[in-house]
Amino acid sequence: MSECIFCKIRDGQVPAKPVHRDDVCLALEDINPQAPTHLLVIPLKHIPTVNDLTVDEREVVGHLYLTAAKLARQRGIADSGYRLVMNTHRDAGQTVFHIHLHVLGGRPMEWPPG
Ligand code: AMP
Ligand code: ZN
């Protein structure tokens, strides 16, 4: 059995607040939101980090972005703006090693990030 929390959520072994699911990805509310809207868009396929992506998975990554944009429109933050973040390894603060796109919006955000 997978030890990965996002694989467990995908398989219904851990409860979550899903807001979207299709045949490539799922999206859910972040358990520790950093903005009024903080969603995670997660591929169904277990891919640990961006460094592990293969050319065959490029459509998966595109799908994550298109889904994020759709959810941002649904949440009413598409025009005010939002930030899409995919952390990779320690210096970026990656804590879950199953790639995911953070969708952050609903408040102004600093740039550059800390
Ligand atoms: P990262 O630090 O980029 O790996 O982001 C991991 C994110 O997953 C964090 O924002 C966590 O708050 C979030 N997270 C961890 N466990 C859960 C969970 N069970 N349900 C929803 N979000 C989670
Ligand atoms: Zn996983």
Side-chain angles (χ1 to χ4, degrees):
M1 207 171 76
S2 173
E3 288 305 307
C4 170
I5 186 78
F6 289 166
C7 285
K8 286 183 174 171
I9 289 173
R10 175 199 64 203
D11 296 341
Q13 294 161 357
V14 166
K17 291 184 183 168
V19 297
H20 172 87
R21 186 169 185 133
D22 58 41
D23 57 353
V24 176
C25 75
L26 63 91
L28 45 86
E29 304 276 358
D30 196 291
I31 203 169
N32 182 23
Q34 303 301 312
T37 292
H38 188 171
L39 304 176
L40 302 174
V41 186
I42 305 168
L44 298 184
K45 182 173 184 182
H46 180 87
I47 302 165
T49 80
V50 169
N51 293 343
D52 302 300
L53 281 167
T54 66
V55 170
D56 287 347
E57 288 154 348
R58 63 194 184 280
E59 287 192 18
V60 173
V61 177
H63 189 90
L64 300 183
Y65 276 83
L66 289 170
T67 301
K70 188 159 73 179
L71 292 171
R73 282 193 291 274
Q74 281 177 13
R75 292 291 170 119
I77 58 169
D79 293 334
S80 52
Y82 56 98
R83 183 167 291 168
L84 300 179
V85 175
M86 195 176 284
N87 294 320
T88 302
H89 280 304
R90 183 185 58 244
D91 281 355
Q94 185 176 6
T95 58
V96 177
F97 285 80
H98 176 144
I99 61 168
H100 48 281
L101 197 54
H102 293 261
V103 183
L104 296 147
R107 65 164 174 81
M109 272 167 273
E110 321 76 49
W111 188 263

